[in-house]
Amino acid sequence: MDFTYTDEQDALRDAVRGLLTKSYSDFEKRRQATKAEPGYSEELWGRLAELGALSLPFAEEDGGAGAGWIETSVVAQEIGRVIAPEPYAVTVGLAGSLVAAVGTPEQRAEVLGAISAGERLVAVAHEEPGRRWKPSASDVKASQDGDSWTVDGVKAPVVQGARADLLVVSAVLPEGGTGLFLVEGDAEGVQREGHPTFEGGRAARITLTAARATPLGEAGVNRTAALATALDTARILVANEAIGIMEVALTMTTDYLKSRKQFGVTLNTFQALTFRAADMYVSLELATSVVQWATMVLEAGDPAAISAAARRSTLMVSRASRHIGQEAIQLHGGIGMTAEYAVGSYTSRLTAIDHLFGDGTFAAGALADGVAGYDALDPLA
Amino acid sequence: MQLELSEQDQEFRTQMREFFTTKVSPEIRDAVAEGRELTKEQIVEAQRTLNDAGYAVPHWPVEWGGQAWSDLQRHIWNEEMMAAAVPPPLAFNASMIGPVLAQFGSQELKERFLPATASLDIWWSQGFSEPDAGSDLASLRTRAVKDGDDWIVTGQKTWTTLGQHADWIFTLVRTDPDVKKQAGISMLLIDMTLPGVEVRPIELIDGGHEVNEVWFTDVRVPGDMLVGEVNQGWTIAKFLLGNERVGVAPVGSTKRSLARAKRLATESGLLSDPLYAARIAELENQLLALELTALRVVANSHNGAPHPASSVLKLKGTEIQQAVTELLVDVAGPGVLNGDGWESRATPAYLNMRKASIYGGSNEVQRQIIAKTILGL
């Protein structure tokens, strides 16, 4: 068991941090990027592609870099550190891993190659109104007519669904089960209503009306298991993103406590405040341990283990991110409430992540369902 | 990053598990597993079994019985020992005075005391805390005045754990009242059968007798029982307390207790209550986080320098330990008022474990350490 990064992984971190810092170290630049469409910098996305950051988990024969999820997680943490609005986890982690798991060799080469090169933005249209984090489709249906397929129904929210060039759509198959389909973003029958989200991101409500769809991989196959693993992959990646966010939120808070004066002294004179910062550190360290472990489990590739690890890291990160996010604002006082000062946006992004793929209560409930099935946990087994 | 243990460490783990689960008396292990109090004889027997195999003091220098294991191997040894419900070697001997004597003691002191300390032929107790010197240890007042070659010791120690069983006590005493308070302290080893040494029991909220006051009235201590130099006591104490913080997160034993609480909750049908299932799931997850953090700390504490996050282990480790004893009380429910059985022991154990966030540097002291040395506040 080893929690250290290799020299190559450290070098990747440095390169990505350098690039992201150049773009977003000035928080005002991040605000500008999130105010304009499509809510992120297309130029920076291209540069991340040039750096190889968008290709890390994909096989070389599919146009990827043939690295792995540990490398991908390093990038996700750096995205988090500057709360970059680029849709890294949902594109590379969710859409990419689905296509990699299910796609035909041609689809993999085409779609993963395009993601890796930063040429096409791929979004996953899976959530449906009124549902909470299921790995199957409910009301969006797929229909078959000879060799051609169409999909009907409403998908929402779809992160970056309006900007996406290509959609991976989940839909109920005629015979039952959930199939996966590629749908061109501008195809006939695809109506997209994009909107900004509270943390500066973008999402869309997509209405599909007999929209032409290409089965991802072999047609008619139930892909619920693949979807579940892809969602778990994305959960672990956004947990890494959250670790980056929480690290910076804590640093901003301790810096503030050391510099801000009240009653003629700096705030770190008051033990009531420094103890709360110490508790934030405890939350961060514990969450970091679980997320790093979950990332290693993801890299090892066993779907059942990944599912359990994703639940555990989701629960840990959900609890830690609420604690750290709320305390970061409180310890800053009024300035933490303002949009010009970054710390509130960090908490805002943590809240978005918490609800993207399932929050702590959701994860705890799933873990509680299985709690009678084993004696004690052993991460070294 | 690598998920599994190396083959070598995996083998080591198997070897430890095999030893602890087959060589230590089942009566002793059952008593630990069920939270019953051990007799002095059982504690001594368990340590001798370990010592005979070379597993009582693996962290000591090799010439005094140490094993030159890696930090990870020591961690595995400790966790497997606790998971198997084996009582750990007496901390006062194995973790406190032993390493101190090996580091600061004269050759004579080492030869006289170290083998008997490892085998628990001598039972040590710790004479640091005083009524006005707990976390603020430097304020201690017990005095040692030179008289010829000897020291005359007068004063009072408190919270002396298991002092009723002890043969010897290692003490911090004030040998120079006229300098800065940290500078005038020395360490003396005191034979508890000497005239003027009196042990008085302190009854605790769990109804047990675990700690004592130790009074010294003009106790004549031979001069060669001084450890290190005169007035070097503060340095020695810092060394000792630094060792005390290693392995502070009792992951293995807390895990065992939590699994036991879960079994008991299953037997009584309580686990089908979603609130209990969720509470256990949360606790398991926090414990997993703690265990992984302990592994991160072990992996990063090369050359014996502790990882700055070891305060996290003390703080969170004791919180989870306490939460598990609290869970057991709730699982017992009205059975806490029974006259015997596990339910009747749940509340004394819960009350007893309130000590965990107080001893070893209270959790408030740990927060202070995190705030100051890690966060720079």
Side-chain angles (χ1 to χ4, degrees), chain A residues 375-380, chain B residues 13-14 16-22 24-26 28-34 50 74-89 249-260 263 287 291:
Chain A
D375 192 39
L377 292 175
D378 184 3
L380 293 177
Chain B
R13 193 186 195 209
T14 309
M16 288 296 123
R17 187 168 295 182
E18 168 87 16
F19 175 82
F20 290 128
T21 53
T22 60
V24 179
S25 138
I28 294 176
R29 294 175 48 227
D30 286 350
V32 173
E34 289 166 18
L50 264 52
R74 276 175 55 188
H75 174 82
I76 292 170
W77 163 79
N78 194 42
E79 292 304 317
E80 289 300 326
M81 183 164 59
M82 291 200 275
V86 170
V251 177
S253 59
T254 305
K255 212 198 266 196
R256 178 165 45 69
S257 302
L258 182 53
R260 176 167 170 257
R263 277 195 301 276
L287 194 53
E291 178 169 11

Side-chain angles (χ1 to χ4, degrees), chain B residues 63-251:
Chain B
E63 60 170 319
W64 297 108
Q67 291 281 3
W69 285 339
S70 67
D71 288 341
L72 180 58
Q73 286 175 319
R74 276 175 55 188
H75 174 82
I76 292 170
W77 163 79
N78 194 42
E79 292 304 317
E80 289 300 326
M81 183 164 59
M82 291 200 275
V86 170
L90 192 68
F92 310 108
N93 286 41
S95 308
M96 297 183 186
I97 193 62
V100 160
L101 289 176
Q103 177 79 15
F104 297 96
S106 64
Q107 188 64 22
E108 272 180 325
L109 285 182
K110 288 178 191 173
E111 286 171 11
R112 171 162 179 194
F113 286 114
L114 284 177
T117 298
S119 63
L120 201 45
D121 285 330
I122 292 176
W123 185 301
W124 287 94
S125 58
Q126 182 185 33
F128 282 14
S129 294
E130 297 186 7
D132 289 321
S135 287
D136 179 18
L137 187 57
S139 296
L140 63 89
R141 287 201 297 246
T142 295
R143 293 175 49 193
V145 179
K146 197 87 195 192
D147 181 37
D149 284 343
D150 300 338
W151 295 93
I152 308 296
V153 178
T154 305
Q156 182 200 353
K157 295 291 176 181
T158 192
W159 310 128
T160 309
T161 304
L162 301 179
Q164 68 269 37
H165 300 323
D167 306 301
W168 284 73
I169 183 167
F170 52 93
T171 60
L172 290 176
V173 292
R174 187 158 302 286
T175 38
D176 186 347
D178 300 325
V179 292
K180 191 174 152 236
K181 60 183 184 176
Q182 283 86 353
I185 294 171
S186 301
M187 180 180 277
L188 275 182
L189 310 179
I190 301 179
D191 179 345
M192 292 178 78
T193 61
L194 289 176
V197 179
E198 190 196 346
V199 178
R200 299 182 193 167
I202 302 174
E203 196 180 333
L204 294 183
I205 53 175
D206 62 355
H209 170 203
E210 184 176 63
V211 291
N212 305 270
E213 293 176 346
V214 179
W215 294 75
F216 302 101
T217 311
D218 296 330
V219 179
R220 179 169 290 273
V221 179
D224 59 0
M225 289 298 115
L226 182 79
V227 182
E229 307 290 323
V230 176
N231 297 333
Q232 200 191 0
W234 190 247
T235 307
I236 297 173
K238 278 197 296 184
F239 173 88
L240 183 150
L241 295 171
N243 289 334
E244 195 184 26
R245 290 211 181 91
V246 175
V248 286
V251 177

Side-chain angles (χ1 to χ4, degrees), chain A residues 27-28 31 83 248-249 251-257 259 328-329 332-347:
Chain A
F27 180 60
E28 189 51 35
R31 287 185 76 203
I83 45 171
V248 174
T251 307
M252 289 169 84
T253 305
T254 54
D255 287 349
Y256 190 76
L257 291 178
S259 58
I329 293 176
H332 272 84
I335 197 168
M337 296 294 297
T338 64
E340 292 98 82
Y341 193 85
V343 79
S345 295
Y346 275 71
T347 303

Side-chain angles (χ1 to χ4, degrees), chain A residues 100-162:
Chain A
V102 171
T104 63
E106 294 75 29
Q107 286 172 331
R108 293 204 308 267
E110 189 193 320
V111 178
L112 298 179
I115 290 176
S116 297
E119 288 163 4
R120 304 194 85 196
L121 192 73
V122 184
V124 174
H126 170 61
E127 287 302 333
E128 297 175 17
R131 302 191 321 163
R132 295 169 79 89
W133 310 307
K134 286 182 183 347
S136 56
S138 297
D139 293 329
V140 172
K141 316 275 189 202
S143 312
Q144 185 179 13
D145 181 9
D147 279 348
S148 56
W149 290 77
T150 52
V151 286
D152 287 272
V154 176
K155 290 289 187 183
V158 180
V159 173
Q160 279 297 348

